[in-house]
Amino acid sequence: MPAAGSSFLPHPNMADVRTGGGQPWTGIAVGLGLLLVTACTRAPTMPPSPVPTMPPAAVTTSTPRPSATAALPTMTPVAPTATAPAASATPTLPEPATATPTPLPPATPSSLSPGVEQAVQAFRALVAPNGTIPPERLTAARSALADVGIAFVNAGAVRNPRLQRELASQLAPAAETPASVVVSDLDGNGQPDLLLAVPIPGLVPLLFPDLQPRPVPIPEMPTAHDLTISRIVAVRAFPPTPFPFIVLSRTGEGASAVNTSILVVSWDGKALHTLFDQGISNWAGDAQWQLLPDGTIELTCPALGIYDHKLLPHPQQVRQYRWNGTGFVLTSRHTDPPRTRRQMMNLAEADFFSGDIAAAIRRYQQVIGDSTLASEEGDAVDWVGFARFRLGEIAALRGDLAGAAAWLDQAAASAPPLGTTATAFHRALQSGGPVAAFAAIQHGDLPERFARGDMGNLTFPISLAPFAALGEAVAYELNLQANTPTGAELARRLGQDGLQVKDVTVADLDHDGQPEIAMILPLGDRVQTLWLFIRRNGRWQAIPTIEAPAGLQGVEALSTTVTALRMRTPPGSTPSSVLLTWDGTALSQRASPTAPATPLPIGFQPSETNCVVAEDIPDQSPGTS
């Protein structure tokens, strides 16, 4: 999914399998993070001006359309409403269906002051007839829009709703999406603030605090040729905080998707704070968002799993976020029940790699025994055999050799290469234990089969790195040790059982007093996966992250509380290395110690979308049971 900025890192599990070859270093789309900022209670707010009228939003992103431990709830998901994009010279963009009022025609004669009229005309002169701004005029247009706001403030017209409406219509004539001219006391200081926004690619909303002629861009100024369209969706209070927040959408069209960021921004009188930043994309199907009357932000999107592709059918997922006085928190999440064995396998694998083994076992057993799960046309993967193989691996990791033998014998009855892989795993388990069994996968023929397109019943959409799950063997070895070993010692122990590892690094990355371990686990030349190992509930857990074909360069202290892994990028890349940070729950990348961090996917989840299969969360909103 194209997004605002791109990573140097490859897709963790889809780059090879889904393109059928080529260079694995394809780049990933940056996921959108959530920044929670504590807001201070201030004096009662001045209610926002009624201009423009912005009822609850419902945003739809249209393109082809085509989770969860505990039993799946019966909550009915929100069905997205597809809308056909209108033909336009500007990108087709998702926008709140209920938040776009009918544009007002210019008033005749104009009631705006001559100074405001002149500033508006100067701005309009920079806009092309098709409603866009040529790149060479964009800087001048941003300055001209600021001049409009300054002139409007200086004319003393800000408190006049009629003049607000007229300015909005003059900035964006009837043929275009309406502009926004909103007056509200955003910081609770008793002084009104002006918000000005024109939804033209490359422009961002402007804030004039306390009606002073010093505009502040919201939330930041895009690059010179950024085609993102920013809109003010609503200015409203989110109890228990009394003063209002600004709800914005930022939408851009990439090569294969329309991507929308939903942001909630506050102003404390000195600085802007991003309180909510989530995204939806139509990369894999219809997506929409709504601002509900009670202040809930609801996102609906197609949820992708580990073995997936944009053209395969996906369950719909609904997520709801609410403001709790400190931050917007996820209060509920629901994914449609899986309808196929592949979809159930995606849920099981998500549980497996997140460490929820009990839930994973239940779902693998459903893949095997649930007759209501359908097979997808053209799907050649032996999902039942794969589920048996995974249950055999889990039993082996738990020390249940009899259970492992039973499951692995059943998996070995499958056709090659699954059957032969299960056989090799079982033999190595009997002679050398679990680490040796996973090493048998690492040294097997799957990479060569993949290279020649001979994956048989492990073909697309199976990916090599998650199938092999090599990090589980490392976590098993770590849990046998009383103390955290050095990198050299751990590499030696794993090597004794045949497991090849690279660049083993031990460091306290999140400064919680507990060391983390990072290493590259190769599977042939094509797959070089970076795994993190963390202590959770007294045990080591394996966390698969991204592909790192050029390896690690050790660690670097970025501050007294942040230590980063330095990862090399492939030869010829710029920069030659990047920094990876781990905060205890999320992995991020930055190009330099002072550069902003961007989130990266973990757990082999697809990076092309922000909507992935995950556990259902019952509604945790206040007043619900």
Side-chain angles (χ1 to χ4, degrees), residues 291-376:
L291 176 59
L292 302 179
D294 65 356
T296 297
I297 299 174
E298 181 178 271
L299 312 180
T300 304
C301 49
L304 272 72
I306 293 172
Y307 310 112
D308 222 320
H309 184 270
K310 66 181 297 181
L311 299 181
L312 295 174
H314 322 287
Q316 287 292 110
Q317 183 180 92
V318 180
R319 288 173 287 156
Q320 292 188 337
Y321 298 84
R322 284 183 60 87
W323 176 253
N324 66 2
T326 301
F328 282 90
V329 296
L330 181 66
T331 56
S332 71
R333 178 173 56 213
H334 171 70
T335 308
D336 289 349
R339 297 181 179 179
T340 69
R341 286 185 170 84
R342 178 185 61 84
Q343 290 177 359
M344 182 64 79
M345 195 71 179
N346 277 331
L347 283 171
E349 291 283 271
D351 289 329
F352 179 63
F353 288 114
S354 69
D356 194 346
I357 303 303
I361 290 173
R362 289 197 299 271
R363 292 207 167 101
Y364 290 131
Q365 291 173 336
Q366 287 180 280
V367 171
I368 296 168
D370 190 341
S371 61
T372 66
L373 296 175
S375 298
E376 295 171 326

Coordinates of all heavy atoms in Angstrom, one line a residue, residues 291-376:
L291 N -17.1 8.9 11.8 CA -17.1 9.6 13.1 C -18.5 9.6 13.7 O -19.4 10.3 13.2 CB -16.6 11.1 13.0 CG -16.6 11.9 14.2 CD1 -15.7 11.3 15.3 CD2 -16.2 13.3 13.9
L292 N -18.8 8.7 14.6 CA -20.1 8.4 15.1 C -20.5 9.6 16.1 O -19.7 10.3 16.6 CB -20.1 7.1 15.9 CG -19.7 5.9 15.0 CD1 -19.8 4.6 15.9 CD2 -20.6 5.8 13.8
P293 N -21.8 9.7 16.3 CA -22.3 10.9 17.1 C -21.7 10.9 18.5 O -21.6 12.0 19.1 CB -23.8 10.6 17.1 CG -24.1 9.9 15.9 CD -22.9 9.0 15.6
D294 N -21.4 9.7 19.1 CA -20.9 9.7 20.4 C -19.4 9.9 20.5 O -18.7 9.8 21.5 CB -21.2 8.4 21.1 CG -20.5 7.2 20.5 OD1 -19.9 7.3 19.5 OD2 -20.7 6.1 21.0
G295 N -18.8 10.3 19.3 CA -17.3 10.5 19.3 C -16.5 9.3 19.0 O -15.2 9.4 18.9
T296 N -17.1 8.2 18.8 CA -16.3 7.0 18.4 C -15.8 7.1 16.9 O -16.6 7.5 16.0 CB -17.2 5.7 18.5 OG1 -17.6 5.5 19.9 CG2 -16.5 4.5 18.0
I297 N -14.6 6.8 16.7 CA -14.1 6.7 15.3 C -14.1 5.2 14.9 O -13.4 4.4 15.6 CB -12.6 7.3 15.3 CG1 -12.7 8.8 15.7 CG2 -12.1 7.2 13.9 CD1 -11.3 9.4 15.8
E298 N -14.7 4.9 13.9 CA -14.9 3.6 13.4 C -14.3 3.4 12.0 O -14.6 4.1 11.1 CB -16.4 3.2 13.4 CG -16.7 1.8 13.0 CD -18.2 1.5 13.0 OE1 -18.7 1.1 14.1 OE2 -18.9 1.7 12.0
L299 N -13.4 2.4 11.9 CA -12.8 2.0 10.7 C -13.3 0.7 10.2 O -13.3 -0.3 11.0 CB -11.3 2.0 10.8 CG -10.6 3.2 11.6 CD1 -9.1 3.0 11.6 CD2 -10.9 4.5 10.8
T300 N -13.6 0.5 9.0 CA -14.0 -0.8 8.4 C -13.1 -1.0 7.2 O -12.9 -0.2 6.3 CB -15.5 -0.7 7.9 OG1 -16.3 -0.4 9.1 CG2 -15.9 -2.1 7.4
C301 N -12.5 -2.2 7.1 CA -11.6 -2.5 6.1 C -11.4 -4.0 5.8 O -11.8 -4.8 6.7 CB -10.2 -1.9 6.4 SG -9.7 -2.4 8.1
P302 N -10.9 -4.4 4.7 CA -10.7 -5.9 4.4 C -9.4 -6.3 5.2 O -8.4 -5.7 5.0 CB -10.5 -5.9 2.9 CG -10.0 -4.6 2.5 CD -10.7 -3.6 3.5
A303 N -9.6 -7.3 6.0 CA -8.4 -7.8 6.8 C -7.6 -8.9 6.1 O -8.2 -9.9 5.7 CB -9.0 -8.3 8.2
L304 N -6.3 -8.6 6.0 CA -5.5 -9.6 5.3 C -4.7 -10.4 6.3 O -4.3 -9.9 7.4 CB -4.5 -8.8 4.4 CG -5.0 -8.6 2.9 CD1 -6.0 -7.5 2.9 CD2 -3.8 -8.2 2.0
G305 N -4.4 -11.6 5.9 CA -3.6 -12.5 6.8 C -2.2 -12.8 6.2 O -1.8 -12.2 5.2
I306 N -1.5 -13.7 6.9 CA -0.2 -14.0 6.5 C -0.1 -14.6 5.1 O 0.8 -14.3 4.3 CB 0.5 -15.0 7.5 CG1 0.6 -14.2 8.8 CG2 1.8 -15.5 7.0 CD1 1.0 -15.1 10.0
Y307 N -1.1 -15.5 4.7 CA -1.1 -16.1 3.4 C -2.3 -15.4 2.7 O -3.4 -15.9 2.7 CB -1.3 -17.6 3.5 CG -0.3 -18.2 4.5 CD1 -0.7 -18.7 5.7 CD2 1.1 -18.2 4.2 CE1 0.2 -19.3 6.6 CE2 2.0 -18.7 5.1 CZ 1.6 -19.3 6.3 OH 2.5 -19.8 7.2
D308 N -2.0 -14.4 2.0 CA -3.0 -13.6 1.4 C -2.5 -12.8 0.2 O -1.3 -12.8 -0.1 CB -3.6 -12.6 2.4 CG -5.1 -12.5 2.4 OD1 -5.7 -12.5 1.3 OD2 -5.7 -12.4 3.5
H309 N -3.4 -12.2 -0.5 CA -3.1 -11.3 -1.6 C -4.3 -10.4 -1.9 O -5.5 -10.8 -1.5 CB -2.9 -12.2 -2.9 CG -2.4 -11.4 -4.1 ND1 -3.3 -10.9 -5.0 CD2 -1.2 -11.0 -4.5 CE1 -2.7 -10.3 -6.0 NE2 -1.4 -10.3 -5.7
K310 N -4.1 -9.3 -2.5 CA -5.2 -8.3 -2.7 C -6.4 -8.9 -3.5 O -7.5 -8.5 -3.3 CB -4.7 -7.1 -3.3 CG -4.2 -7.2 -4.7 CD -3.7 -5.9 -5.3 CE -4.7 -4.8 -5.4 NZ -4.2 -3.6 -5.9
L311 N -6.1 -9.9 -4.4 CA -7.2 -10.4 -5.2 C -7.9 -11.6 -4.6 O -8.9 -12.1 -5.2 CB -6.6 -10.8 -6.6 CG -5.9 -9.7 -7.4 CD1 -5.4 -10.3 -8.7 CD2 -6.9 -8.6 -7.6
L312 N -7.5 -12.1 -3.5 CA -8.2 -13.1 -2.8 C -9.3 -12.5 -1.9 O -9.2 -11.4 -1.5 CB -7.2 -13.9 -1.9 CG -6.1 -14.7 -2.7 CD1 -5.1 -15.3 -1.7 CD2 -6.7 -15.8 -3.6
P313 N -10.3 -13.3 -1.6 CA -11.4 -12.8 -0.7 C -10.9 -12.6 0.7 O -10.1 -13.4 1.2 CB -12.5 -13.9 -0.8 CG -11.7 -15.1 -1.2 CD -10.6 -14.7 -2.1
H314 N -11.3 -11.6 1.4 CA -10.9 -11.3 2.8 C -12.1 -11.0 3.6 O -13.2 -10.5 3.2 CB -10.1 -10.0 2.8 CG -9.1 -9.8 1.7 ND1 -8.0 -10.6 1.5 CD2 -9.2 -9.0 0.6 CE1 -7.4 -10.2 0.4 NE2 -8.1 -9.3 -0.2
P315 N -12.0 -11.4 4.9 CA -13.1 -10.9 5.8 C -13.0 -9.4 6.1 O -11.9 -8.8 6.0 CB -12.8 -11.7 7.1 CG -11.3 -12.0 7.0 CD -10.9 -12.1 5.6
Q316 N -14.1 -8.8 6.4 CA -14.2 -7.4 6.8 C -13.9 -7.3 8.3 O -14.4 -8.1 9.1 CB -15.5 -6.8 6.5 CG -15.7 -6.6 5.0 CD -14.8 -5.5 4.4 OE1 -13.9 -5.8 3.6 NE2 -15.1 -4.3 4.8
Q317 N -13.2 -6.2 8.6 CA -12.9 -6.0 10.0 C -13.4 -4.6 10.4 O -13.2 -3.6 9.6 CB -11.4 -6.1 10.3 CG -10.9 -5.9 11.7 CD -9.4 -6.0 11.9 OE1 -8.7 -5.0 11.8 NE2 -8.9 -7.2 12.0
V318 N -14.0 -4.5 11.6 CA -14.4 -3.2 12.1 C -13.7 -2.9 13.4 O -13.7 -3.7 14.3 CB -15.9 -3.2 12.4 CG1 -16.4 -1.9 13.0 CG2 -16.7 -3.6 11.1
R319 N -13.0 -1.7 13.5 CA -12.3 -1.3 14.7 C -13.0 0.0 15.2 O -13.3 0.9 14.3 CB -10.9 -1.1 14.4 CG -10.0 -2.3 14.2 CD -8.6 -2.0 13.7 NE -8.6 -1.5 12.4 CZ -7.7 -0.7 11.8 NH1 -6.7 -0.3 12.6 NH2 -7.7 -0.4 10.6
Q320 N -13.1 0.1 16.5 CA -13.6 1.4 17.1 C -12.7 1.9 18.1 O -12.1 1.2 18.9 CB -15.0 1.1 17.7 CG -16.1 0.8 16.7 CD -17.4 0.7 17.4 OE1 -17.6 0.5 18.6 NE2 -18.5 0.9 16.6
Y321 N -12.5 3.2 18.0 CA -11.6 3.9 19.0 C -12.4 5.0 19.7 O -13.2 5.7 19.0 CB -10.4 4.6 18.2 CG -9.5 3.6 17.5 CD1 -9.8 3.1 16.2 CD2 -8.3 3.1 18.1 CE1 -9.0 2.2 15.6 CE2 -7.5 2.2 17.5 CZ -7.9 1.7 16.2 OH -7.0 0.9 15.5
R322 N -12.1 5.2 21.0 CA -12.7 6.3 21.7 C -11.7 7.0 22.6 O -10.7 6.5 23.0 CB -13.8 5.7 22.7 CG -15.1 5.3 21.9 CD -16.1 4.8 22.9 NE -16.5 5.8 23.9 CZ -17.4 6.7 23.7 NH1 -18.1 6.7 22.6 NH2 -17.7 7.6 24.6
W323 N -12.0 8.3 22.8 CA -11.2 9.2 23.6 C -11.5 8.9 25.0 O -12.7 8.9 25.5 CB -11.4 10.6 23.2 CG -10.7 11.7 24.0 CD1 -11.2 12.5 25.0 CD2 -9.3 12.0 24.0 NE1 -10.3 13.3 25.5 CE2 -9.1 13.0 24.9 CE3 -8.3 11.5 23.2 CZ2 -7.8 13.5 25.1 CZ3 -7.0 12.0 23.4 CH2 -6.8 13.0 24.4
N324 N -10.4 8.7 25.9 CA -10.7 8.4 27.3 C -10.1 9.5 28.2 O -10.1 9.4 29.4 CB -10.0 7.1 27.7 CG -8.5 7.1 27.6 OD1 -7.9 8.1 27.3 ND2 -7.9 6.0 27.9
G325 N -9.8 10.7 27.6 CA -9.3 11.8 28.4 C -7.8 11.9 28.3 O -7.2 12.9 28.6
T326 N -7.1 10.8 27.9 CA -5.7 10.8 27.7 C -5.3 10.4 26.3 O -4.3 11.0 25.7 CB -5.1 9.7 28.7 OG1 -5.4 10.1 30.0 CG2 -3.6 9.7 28.5
G327 N -6.0 9.5 25.7 CA -5.7 9.1 24.3 C -6.9 8.4 23.7 O -7.9 8.0 24.4
F328 N -6.8 8.2 22.4 CA -7.8 7.4 21.7 C -7.4 5.9 21.8 O -6.3 5.6 21.4 CB -7.9 7.8 20.2 CG -8.7 9.1 20.0 CD1 -8.1 10.3 20.0 CD2 -10.1 9.0 19.8 CE1 -8.8 11.5 19.8 CE2 -10.8 10.2 19.6 CZ -10.2 11.4 19.6
V329 N -8.2 5.1 22.4 CA -7.9 3.7 22.6 C -8.8 2.8 21.8 O -10.0 3.2 21.6 CB -8.0 3.4 24.1 CG1 -6.9 4.2 24.9 CG2 -9.4 3.6 24.7
L330 N -8.3 1.7 21.4 CA -9.1 0.7 20.7 C -10.1 0.0 21.7 O -9.7 -0.6 22.7 CB -8.2 -0.4 20.1 CG -8.9 -1.5 19.4 CD1 -9.5 -1.0 18.1 CD2 -7.9 -2.6 19.0
T331 N -11.4 0.3 21.5 CA -12.4 -0.3 22.4 C -13.1 -1.5 21.9 O -13.6 -2.3 22.7 CB -13.5 0.8 22.7 OG1 -14.0 1.2 21.4 CG2 -12.9 2.0 23.4
S332 N -13.0 -1.7 20.6 CA -13.6 -3.0 20.1 C -13.0 -3.3 18.7 O -12.6 -2.4 18.0 CB -15.1 -2.9 19.9 OG -15.5 -2.0 18.9
R333 N -12.9 -4.6 18.4 CA -12.4 -5.0 17.1 C -13.2 -6.3 16.8 O -13.3 -7.2 17.6 CB -10.9 -5.3 17.1 CG -10.4 -5.8 15.8 CD -8.9 -5.8 15.8 NE -8.4 -6.6 16.9 CZ -7.2 -6.4 17.5 NH1 -6.5 -5.4 17.2 NH2 -6.8 -7.2 18.5
H334 N -13.7 -6.4 15.6 CA -14.4 -7.6 15.2 C -14.1 -7.9 13.7 O -14.1 -7.0 12.9 CB -15.9 -7.4 15.3 CG -16.7 -8.5 14.7 ND1 -16.7 -9.8 15.3 CD2 -17.5 -8.6 13.6 CE1 -17.5 -10.6 14.5 NE2 -18.0 -9.9 13.5
T335 N -13.8 -9.1 13.4 CA -13.5 -9.6 12.1 C -14.6 -10.6 11.7 O -14.9 -11.5 12.5 CB -12.1 -10.2 12.0 OG1 -11.2 -9.2 12.5 CG2 -11.8 -10.5 10.5
D336 N -15.1 -10.6 10.5 CA -16.0 -11.6 10.0 C -15.5 -13.0 10.3 O -14.3 -13.2 10.1 CB -16.2 -11.4 8.5 CG -17.1 -10.2 8.1 OD1 -17.6 -9.6 9.1 OD2 -17.1 -9.9 6.9
P337 N -16.3 -13.9 10.7 CA -15.8 -15.3 10.8 C -15.2 -15.8 9.5 O -15.7 -15.5 8.4 CB -17.1 -16.1 11.2 CG -18.0 -15.0 11.8 CD -17.7 -13.8 11.0
P338 N -14.1 -16.6 9.6 CA -13.5 -17.1 8.4 C -14.5 -18.1 7.7 O -15.2 -18.9 8.3 CB -12.3 -17.9 8.9 CG -12.6 -18.1 10.4 CD -13.4 -17.0 10.8
R339 N -14.4 -18.0 6.4 CA -15.3 -18.9 5.5 C -14.6 -20.0 4.8 O -15.2 -20.9 4.3 CB -16.1 -18.0 4.5 CG -17.0 -17.0 5.2 CD -17.7 -16.2 4.1 NE -18.7 -15.2 4.7 CZ -19.4 -14.4 4.0 NH1 -19.4 -14.4 2.7 NH2 -20.2 -13.5 4.6
T340 N -13.3 -19.8 4.7 CA -12.4 -20.8 4.0 C -11.3 -21.3 4.9 O -11.0 -20.7 6.0 CB -11.8 -20.2 2.8 OG1 -10.8 -19.3 3.2 CG2 -12.9 -19.5 1.9
R341 N -10.7 -22.5 4.6 CA -9.6 -23.0 5.3 C -8.4 -22.1 5.3 O -7.7 -21.9 6.3 CB -9.2 -24.4 4.8 CG -10.2 -25.5 5.2 CD -9.8 -26.9 4.7 NE -10.6 -27.9 5.3 CZ -11.8 -28.3 4.7 NH1 -12.2 -27.7 3.6 NH2 -12.6 -29.2 5.3
R342 N -8.2 -21.4 4.2 CA -7.1 -20.4 4.2 C -7.3 -19.3 5.2 O -6.4 -18.9 5.9 CB -6.9 -19.9 2.8 CG -5.8 -18.8 2.7 CD -5.8 -18.2 1.3 NE -7.0 -17.5 1.0 CZ -7.3 -16.3 1.3 NH1 -6.5 -15.6 2.1 NH2 -8.5 -15.7 1.0
Q343 N -8.5 -18.8 5.3 CA -8.8 -17.7 6.2 C -8.7 -18.2 7.6 O -8.2 -17.5 8.5 CB -10.2 -17.1 5.9 CG -10.3 -16.4 4.6 CD -11.7 -15.9 4.4 OE1 -12.7 -16.1 5.1 NE2 -11.9 -15.2 3.2
M344 N -9.1 -19.4 7.9 CA -8.9 -19.9 9.3 C -7.5 -20.2 9.6 O -7.0 -19.9 10.7 CB -9.7 -21.2 9.5 CG -9.6 -21.8 10.9 SD -10.4 -20.8 12.1 CE -12.1 -21.2 11.9
M345 N -6.7 -20.6 8.6 CA -5.3 -20.8 8.8 C -4.6 -19.5 9.1 O -3.7 -19.4 9.9 CB -4.7 -21.4 7.5 CG -3.3 -22.0 7.8 SD -3.4 -23.5 8.8 CE -1.6 -23.9 8.8
N346 N -5.0 -18.4 8.4 CA -4.5 -17.1 8.7 C -4.7 -16.7 10.2 O -3.8 -16.1 10.8 CB -5.1 -16.0 7.8 CG -4.4 -16.0 6.4 OD1 -3.3 -16.3 6.3 ND2 -5.2 -15.6 5.4
L347 N -5.8 -17.0 10.7 CA -6.1 -16.7 12.1 C -5.2 -17.5 13.0 O -4.6 -17.0 14.0 CB -7.6 -16.9 12.4 CG -8.6 -15.9 12.0 CD1 -10.0 -16.4 12.2 CD2 -8.4 -14.6 12.7
A348 N -5.1 -18.8 12.7 CA -4.3 -19.7 13.5 C -2.8 -19.3 13.5 O -2.1 -19.3 14.5 CB -4.4 -21.1 13.0
E349 N -2.3 -18.9 12.3 CA -0.9 -18.5 12.2 C -0.7 -17.2 13.0 O 0.4 -17.0 13.6 CB -0.5 -18.3 10.7 CG -0.4 -19.6 10.0 CD 0.9 -20.4 10.3 OE1 1.9 -20.2 9.6 OE2 0.8 -21.2 11.3
A350 N -1.6 -16.3 12.9 CA -1.5 -15.0 13.7 C -1.4 -15.3 15.2 O -0.6 -14.7 15.9 CB -2.7 -14.1 13.4
D351 N -2.2 -16.3 15.6 CA -2.1 -16.7 17.0 C -0.7 -17.3 17.3 O -0.1 -17.0 18.4 CB -3.2 -17.7 17.4 CG -4.6 -17.0 17.4 OD1 -4.6 -15.8 17.8 OD2 -5.6 -17.7 17.1
F352 N -0.3 -18.2 16.4 CA 1.0 -18.9 16.6 C 2.1 -17.9 16.8 O 2.9 -18.0 17.7 CB 1.2 -19.8 15.4 CG 2.5 -20.6 15.5 CD1 2.7 -21.6 16.5 CD2 3.4 -20.5 14.5 CE1 3.9 -22.3 16.5 CE2 4.6 -21.2 14.5 CZ 4.8 -22.1 15.5
F353 N 2.2 -16.9 15.9 CA 3.4 -16.0 15.9 C 3.2 -14.9 17.0 O 4.2 -14.3 17.3 CB 3.6 -15.4 14.5 CG 4.1 -16.4 13.5 CD1 3.4 -16.8 12.4 CD2 5.4 -16.9 13.7 CE1 3.9 -17.7 11.5 CE2 5.9 -17.8 12.8 CZ 5.1 -18.2 11.7
S354 N 2.0 -14.8 17.5 CA 1.9 -13.8 18.6 C 2.1 -14.5 20.0 O 2.0 -13.8 21.0 CB 0.5 -13.2 18.6 OG -0.5 -14.1 18.9
G355 N 2.2 -15.8 20.0 CA 2.5 -16.6 21.2 C 1.3 -17.1 21.9 O 1.4 -17.7 23.0
D356 N 0.1 -16.9 21.3 CA -1.2 -17.5 21.8 C -1.4 -18.9 21.3 O -2.2 -19.2 20.4 CB -2.3 -16.6 21.5 CG -3.6 -16.9 22.3 OD1 -3.6 -17.9 23.0 OD2 -4.5 -16.0 22.3
I357 N -0.6 -19.8 21.9 CA -0.6 -21.2 21.3 C -1.9 -21.9 21.5 O -2.3 -22.7 20.7 CB 0.6 -22.0 22.0 CG1 1.9 -21.2 21.7 CG2 0.7 -23.4 21.4 CD1 2.2 -21.0 20.3
A358 N -2.6 -21.7 22.7 CA -3.8 -22.4 22.9 C -4.8 -22.0 21.8 O -5.5 -22.9 21.3 CB -4.4 -22.0 24.3
A359 N -4.9 -20.8 21.5 CA -5.9 -20.4 20.4 C -5.4 -20.9 19.1 O -6.3 -21.3 18.3 CB -6.0 -18.8 20.4
A360 N -4.1 -20.9 18.8 CA -3.6 -21.4 17.6 C -4.0 -22.9 17.4 O -4.5 -23.3 16.3 CB -2.1 -21.3 17.5
I361 N -3.9 -23.7 18.5 CA -4.2 -25.1 18.4 C -5.7 -25.3 18.0 O -6.0 -26.1 17.2 CB -3.9 -25.8 19.8 CG1 -2.3 -25.9 19.9 CG2 -4.5 -27.2 19.8 CD1 -1.9 -26.4 21.3
R362 N -6.6 -24.5 18.7 CA -8.0 -24.7 18.4 C -8.2 -24.4 16.9 O -9.0 -25.1 16.3 CB -8.8 -23.7 19.3 CG -8.9 -24.1 20.7 CD -10.0 -23.4 21.4 NE -9.8 -22.0 21.4 CZ -9.1 -21.3 22.3 NH1 -8.6 -21.9 23.4 NH2 -9.1 -20.0 22.3
R363 N -7.6 -23.4 16.4 CA -7.9 -23.0 15.0 C -7.2 -24.0 14.0 O -7.8 -24.3 13.0 CB -7.4 -21.6 14.8 CG -8.3 -20.6 15.6 CD -8.3 -19.2 14.9 NE -9.3 -18.4 15.5 CZ -9.1 -17.5 16.4 NH1 -7.9 -17.2 16.8 NH2 -10.1 -16.8 16.9
Y364 N -6.1 -24.5 14.3 CA -5.5 -25.5 13.4 C -6.4 -26.7 13.4 O -6.6 -27.3 12.3 CB -4.1 -26.0 13.9 CG -3.0 -24.9 13.8 CD1 -2.2 -24.6 14.8 CD2 -2.8 -24.3 12.5 CE1 -1.2 -23.6 14.7 CE2 -1.8 -23.3 12.4 CZ -1.0 -23.0 13.5 OH 0.0 -22.1 13.3
Q365 N -7.0 -27.1 14.5 CA -7.9 -28.2 14.6 C -9.2 -27.9 13.8 O -9.8 -28.8 13.2 CB -8.2 -28.6 16.0 CG -7.1 -29.2 16.8 CD -7.3 -29.4 18.2 OE1 -8.2 -28.7 18.8 NE2 -6.6 -30.3 18.9
Q366 N -9.6 -26.6 13.8 CA -10.8 -26.3 12.9 C -10.5 -26.4 11.4 O -11.3 -26.8 10.6 CB -11.3 -24.9 13.3 CG -12.0 -24.8 14.6 CD -12.4 -23.4 14.9 OE1 -11.6 -22.5 15.4 NE2 -13.7 -23.1 14.7
V367 N -9.2 -26.0 11.1 CA -8.8 -26.1 9.7 C -9.0 -27.6 9.3 O -9.4 -27.9 8.1 CB -7.4 -25.7 9.5 CG1 -6.9 -26.0 8.1 CG2 -7.2 -24.2 9.7
I368 N -8.6 -28.5 10.2 CA -8.7 -29.9 9.8 C -10.1 -30.5 9.9 O -10.5 -31.2 9.0 CB -7.8 -30.7 10.9 CG1 -6.4 -30.3 10.7 CG2 -8.0 -32.2 10.7 CD1 -5.5 -30.8 11.9
G369 N -10.9 -30.1 10.9 CA -12.2 -30.8 11.1 C -13.4 -30.0 10.9 O -14.5 -30.6 11.0
D370 N -13.4 -28.7 10.6 CA -14.6 -27.9 10.4 C -15.1 -28.1 8.9 O -14.5 -27.5 8.0 CB -14.3 -26.5 10.7 CG -15.6 -25.6 10.8 OD1 -16.6 -26.1 10.2 OD2 -15.6 -24.5 11.4
S371 N -16.1 -28.8 8.8 CA -16.6 -29.1 7.4 C -17.3 -27.9 6.8 O -17.6 -27.9 5.6 CB -17.6 -30.3 7.5 OG -18.7 -30.0 8.3
T372 N -17.6 -26.9 7.6 CA -18.2 -25.7 7.0 C -17.2 -24.8 6.3 O -17.6 -23.9 5.6 CB -18.9 -24.9 8.1 OG1 -18.0 -24.3 9.0 CG2 -19.9 -25.7 8.9
L373 N -16.0 -25.0 6.5 CA -15.0 -24.2 5.9 C -14.8 -24.6 4.4 O -14.5 -25.8 4.1 CB -13.6 -24.3 6.6 CG -13.6 -23.7 8.0 CD1 -12.3 -24.0 8.7 CD2 -13.9 -22.2 8.0
A374 N -14.9 -23.7 3.5 CA -14.9 -24.0 2.1 C -13.4 -24.0 1.6 O -12.5 -23.5 2.2 CB -15.7 -23.0 1.3
S375 N -13.3 -24.6 0.4 CA -12.0 -24.5 -0.3 C -12.2 -23.5 -1.4 O -13.3 -23.4 -2.0 CB -11.6 -25.9 -0.9 OG -11.4 -26.8 0.1
E376 N -11.1 -22.7 -1.7 CA -11.2 -21.6 -2.7 C -10.8 -22.1 -4.0 O -9.9 -22.9 -4.2 CB -10.3 -20.5 -2.3 CG -10.8 -19.8 -1.0 CD -9.8 -18.8 -0.4 OE1 -8.6 -19.0 -0.6 OE2 -10.3 -17.8 0.1

